[in-house]
């Protein structure tokens, strides 16, 4: 078992529940997508898994350990908004940051760190961009750098928060094709509000709107979506489908 | 007598030049983090609050530099602690600390018996009054700053680039943030000898801000910014000598003019390369 959520509930102080009684198990080799409307608790759930928030009730276990200890095995790919895109750093140096926690504590990086960085850059087709500054990259390239940085942690599970929020459709496919290859050796958890696209790739979809429902991708029907999204959102989705 | 003739003859001028170079070194290294982490207003708060410590030290006849150091570290830790607790509006607290520190300083200085002309040199610096002992102080501070950065460079890049990711990788983000603020505080004291506490912020940020326009790597930015910092102090001193201008203000104006030219040149000739698709 990679990740185990048991009777998990969460509320911010003096506020109603954001998440209620969530149960979810992610096995090794799984590729699971969590979808749901904005404000449905997706980001909160991720923060609980990563140990950045403490559950109000219930438990989070990562490989049987608490999130603080178990997150060593997690490669996390944040949303673009979480850091400054203008930061003066090269692709290589950004990826090396994934080695923190594994590399020596003082001074620079070791030889192994550079070897691992080279390897993950090959995996993510970034070798040619190695010395490029981060602020000259396109959205898709930047997304691949973030994935490479997470891979540099040598994780067993990859967690991605809205990986396609800032890139166009064509690049989106590239990213998911890359994830499909990575899924051969890693478990993957993707959080997205983009329900239509994600279902073509993942093996299992969990719909999150305060509570969680889990389905294999074949079972995902408009009816089900209707239960989870507000009416307004459904119109948008049905409109999309009619084209 | 030209500047260079005077330089070879007067030790006070030599001391001033060395002080300028030492200050330039520190401002380039720490200023780079201040610029990329966007904490210049925080640094400004620390710089002005320092007057409180100086005033108290002056009143009790202790070394003013020690008073400044204690006040700088105290305000850095206070601001850092408040930010980490996220309980108050950081912006307002920076402003409050800024003015309160100065108010304390002015009160104590006003109550000190004797001649009060020193107030101006705290506020605007007096590089020509730098003593040899000050130079040793400055050298020690520079060494401390550069050694800390050298040892923990990875961690500082991690927390200034992406705090959340750094935390997930087991970096003690809060601790390194506080250390960073303390280093900013030490740099403020270092630069104060040269340009005074009111002008510190410009010297702390402008060299790094210029470097960042043309270089895309933290270490290179630090080196370029340090060289620029030294160049600004040196040339400011030189320009100010003949017409007997205030040195601190001249240094800042030199830095500001170069910054302006750098920004204009950049926009005209080197349009920042936007996203390049392969």
């Amino acid at each position: 078992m990679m990740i185990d959520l048991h009777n998990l509930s969460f509320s911010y102080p003096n506020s109603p529940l954001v998440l209620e009684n969530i149960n979810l198990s992610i096995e090794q080799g799984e590729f699971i997508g969590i979808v749901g409307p904005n404000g449905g608790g997706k980001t909160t759930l991720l923060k609980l898994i990563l140990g950045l928030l403490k559950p109000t009730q219930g438990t989070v276990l990562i490989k049987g350990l608490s999130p603080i200890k178990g997150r060593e095995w997690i490669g996390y790919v944040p949303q673009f908004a979480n850091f400054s895109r203008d930061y003066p750093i090269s692709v290589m140096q950004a990826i090396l940051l994934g080695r923190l926690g594994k590399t020596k504590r003082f001074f620079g990086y070791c030889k192994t760190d550079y070897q691992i960085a080279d390897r993950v850059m090959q995996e993510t087709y970034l070798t040619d961009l190695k010395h490029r500054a981060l602020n000259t990259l396109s959205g898709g390239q930047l997304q691949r750098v973030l994935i490479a940085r997470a891979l540099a942690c040598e994780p067993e599970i990859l967690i991605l928060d809205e990986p396609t929020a800032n890139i166009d459709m064509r690049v989106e496919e590239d990213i998911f094709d890359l994830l499909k290859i990575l899924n051969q050796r890693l478990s993957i958890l993707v959080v997205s509000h983009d329900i239509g696209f994600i279902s073509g790739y993942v093996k299992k979809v969990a719909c999150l709107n305060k509570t969680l429902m889990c389905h294999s991708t074949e079972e995902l029907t408009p009816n089900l979506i209707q239960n989870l999204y507000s009416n307004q959102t459904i119109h948008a989705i049905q409109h999309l489908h009619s084209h | 007598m030209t500047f260079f003739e005077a330089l070879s003859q007067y030790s006070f001028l030599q001391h001033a030049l060395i002080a300028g170079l030492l200050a330039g070194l520190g401002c380039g290294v720490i200023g780079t983090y201040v610029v990329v982490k966007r904490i210049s207003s925080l640094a400004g708060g620390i710089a002005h609050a320092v007057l409180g410590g100086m005033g108290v030290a002056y009143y009790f006849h202790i070394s003013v530099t020690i008073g400044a150091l204690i006040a700088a570290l105290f305000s850095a830790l206070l601001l850092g602690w408040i930010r980490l607790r996220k309980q108050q509006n950081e912006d307002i607290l920076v402003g409050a600390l800024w003015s309160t520190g100065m108010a304390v300083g002015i009160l104590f200085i006003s109550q000190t018996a004797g001649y009060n002309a020193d107030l101006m040199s705290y506020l605007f610096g007096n590089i020509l009054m730098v003593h040899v002992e000050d130079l040793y102080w400055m050298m020690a501070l520079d060494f401390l700053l550069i050694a800390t950065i050298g040892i923990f460079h990875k961690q500082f890049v991690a927390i200034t680039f992406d705090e959340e990711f750094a935390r997930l990788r087991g970096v003690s983000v809060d601790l390194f943030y506080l250390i960073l603020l303390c280093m900013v505080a030490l740099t403020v004291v270092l630069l104060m000898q040269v340009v005074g506490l009111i002008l510190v912020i410009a010297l702390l940020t402008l060299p790094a801000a210029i470097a960042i326009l043309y270089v895309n790597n933290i270490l290179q930015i630090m080196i370029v910014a340090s060289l620029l910092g030294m160049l600004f102090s040196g040339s400011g001193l030189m320009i100010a000598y003949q017409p007997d201008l205030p040195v601190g203000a001249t240094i800042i104006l030199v830095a500001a003019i170069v910054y302006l030219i750098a920004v204009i040149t950049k926009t005209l000739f080197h349009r920042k390369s936007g996203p390049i698709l392969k």
Side-chain angles (χ1 to χ4, degrees):
Chain A
M1 194 78 69
M2 295 304 303
I3 293 181
D4 195 21
L5 309 180
H6 185 67
N7 287 337
L8 190 65
S9 295
F10 182 83
S11 66
Y12 291 97
N14 308 319
S15 311
L17 284 179
V18 184
L19 296 171
E20 191 178 346
N21 208 20
I22 308 281
N23 285 289
L24 177 70
S25 298
I26 301 176
E27 315 269 348
Q28 198 160 3
E30 218 159 346
F31 192 160
I32 181 166
I34 295 185
V35 297
N38 288 331
K42 296 191 302 285
T43 305
T44 306
L45 184 64
L46 279 193
K47 286 190 170 168
L48 285 165
I49 293 174
L50 294 167
L52 295 172
L53 290 174
K54 284 205 177 93
T56 312
Q57 239 176 58
T59 51
V60 178
L61 290 177
I62 295 158
K63 292 189 72 168
L65 299 167
S66 71
I68 306 272
K69 285 183 183 162
R71 67 189 178 198
E72 186 191 336
W73 305 106
I74 295 179
Y76 175 56
V77 183
Q79 292 193 41
F80 283 9
N82 283 1
F83 61 89
S84 149
R85 276 187 79 167
D86 276 337
Y87 197 91
I89 192 169
S90 69
V91 167
M92 175 76 159
Q93 289 294 324
I95 290 171
L96 279 169
L97 289 176
R99 297 302 301 155
L100 284 164
K102 298 255 160 121
T103 182
K104 56 181 179 176
R105 195 178 287 259
F106 307 114
F107 300 102
Y109 296 97
C110 353
K111 213 174 154 193
T112 338
D113 300 323
Y114 285 99
Q115 284 165 350
I116 289 169
D118 276 331
R119 201 190 66 216
V120 299
M121 278 190 282
Q122 248 167 25
E123 249 183 322
T124 48
Y125 317 109
L126 287 168
T127 310
D128 294 342
L129 303 174
K130 194 173 175 173
H131 300 297
R132 280 273 292 276
L134 212 61
N135 59 12
T136 64
L137 299 183
S138 70
Q141 289 165 338
L142 182 59
Q143 193 62 60
R144 292 213 303 273
V145 172
L146 294 182
I147 293 174
R149 182 181 65 167
L151 290 175
C153 310
E154 299 179 289
E156 294 192 9
I157 178 159
L158 208 54
I159 295 185
L160 300 96
D161 191 1
E162 300 281 4
T164 53
N166 292 288
I167 52 187
D168 59 49
M169 279 295 265
R170 189 182 52 81
V171 186
E172 215 169 284
E173 269 173 53
D174 291 347
I175 295 289
F176 272 94
D177 287 337
L178 173 64
L179 291 181
K180 219 169 181 175
I181 296 169
L182 292 173
N183 185 224
Q184 288 165 5
R185 63 181 177 88
L186 293 170
S187 316
I188 297 180
L189 167 65
V190 176
V191 160
S192 176
H193 67 274
D194 185 0
I195 193 164
F197 194 78
I198 205 173
S199 55
Y201 285 87
V202 298
K203 295 172 186 162
K204 205 178 183 184
V205 174
C207 304
L208 181 68
N209 192 1
K210 195 165 135 188
T211 57
L212 189 81
M213 285 183 226
C214 230
H215 316 274
S216 62
T217 46
E218 305 92 75
E219 292 174 53
L220 196 69
T221 61
N223 256 348
L224 236 166
I225 300 168
Q226 197 139 21
N227 288 333
L228 280 147
Y229 282 79
S230 71
N231 282 333
Q232 220 176 352
T233 326
I234 292 304
H235 287 308
I237 286 176
Q238 280 174 341
H239 176 78
L240 256 175
H241 280 212
S242 67
H243 283 280
Chain B
M1 197 186 303
T2 69
F3 174 73
F4 290 102
E5 280 167 6
L7 187 63
S8 62
Q9 277 184 27
Y10 299 126
S11 63
F12 79 91
L13 212 51
Q14 292 159 6
H15 293 163
L17 184 64
I18 296 170
L21 298 181
L22 289 171
L25 191 61
C27 84
V29 173
I30 301 301
T32 301
Y33 284 130
V34 171
V35 169
V36 296
K37 185 72 180 163
R38 294 175 187 161
I39 48 172
S40 63
S41 74
L42 229 147
I46 295 172
H48 287 77
V50 161
L51 189 68
M54 296 175 95
V56 173
Y58 191 62
Y59 181 79
F60 289 107
H61 302 289
I62 320 166
S63 153
V64 171
T65 313
I66 290 176
L69 272 176
I70 293 172
L73 290 173
F74 172 77
S75 36
L77 290 173
L78 182 69
L79 285 174
W81 180 71
I82 286 162
R83 179 196 181 246
L84 294 173
R85 295 287 297 262
K86 287 192 179 110
Q87 282 182 338
Q88 297 287 337
N89 188 336
E90 185 183 324
D91 197 40
I92 291 170
L93 281 158
V94 169
L97 185 72
W98 184 305
S99 315
T100 314
M102 294 204 81
V104 170
I106 292 166
L107 271 184
F108 273 90
I109 291 171
S110 76
Q111 293 308 305
T112 306
Y115 184 54
N116 282 341
D118 279 357
L119 181 62
M120 281 293 274
S121 74
Y122 297 150
L123 296 179
F124 300 105
N126 198 344
I127 198 175
L128 299 176
M129 298 285 279
V130 169
H131 300 292
V132 184
E133 310 91 79
D134 296 325
L135 293 181
Y136 290 131
W137 260 109
M138 295 177 78
M139 240 181 270
L141 281 180
D142 266 335
F143 178 78
L144 184 68
L145 294 173
I146 291 169
T148 313
I149 296 280
I151 295 170
F152 296 113
H153 182 62
K154 290 194 301 266
Q155 282 86 349
F156 286 119
V157 170
I159 67 156
T160 49
F161 175 53
D162 186 346
E163 233 174 70
E164 191 181 54
F165 188 83
R167 198 181 296 278
L168 294 177
R169 296 318 302 159
V171 176
S172 320
V173 173
D174 297 354
L175 176 68
F176 280 105
Y177 182 71
L178 290 178
I179 295 177
L180 180 62
L181 289 188
C182 287
M183 290 199 298
V184 170
L186 294 181
T187 314
V188 161
V189 176
L190 182 72
L191 297 184
M192 224 168 48
Q193 310 279 352
V194 176
V195 292
L197 56 89
I198 289 189
L199 305 181
V200 155
I201 288 309
L203 197 53
L204 190 59
T205 51
L206 288 181
I210 296 167
I212 219 168
L213 291 172
Y214 294 94
V215 193
N216 257 317
N217 164 312
I218 292 276
L219 278 180
Q220 287 169 8
I221 292 172
M222 284 180 178
I223 294 168
V224 174
S226 295
L227 291 174
L228 285 173
M230 293 180 191
L231 184 76
F232 295 155
S233 328
S235 53
L237 185 63
M238 195 176 82
I239 294 168
Y241 178 74
Q242 202 81 35
D244 195 22
L245 300 171
V247 180
T250 312
I251 292 173
I252 298 301
L253 281 178
V254 171
I257 290 167
V258 175
Y259 177 66
L260 197 65
I261 294 170
V263 171
I264 293 170
T265 319
K266 177 85 181 179
T267 12
L268 287 184
F269 302 109
H270 301 262
R271 280 182 185 280
K272 201 163 193 173
S273 39
I276 299 165
L277 299 162
K278 63 176 174 198

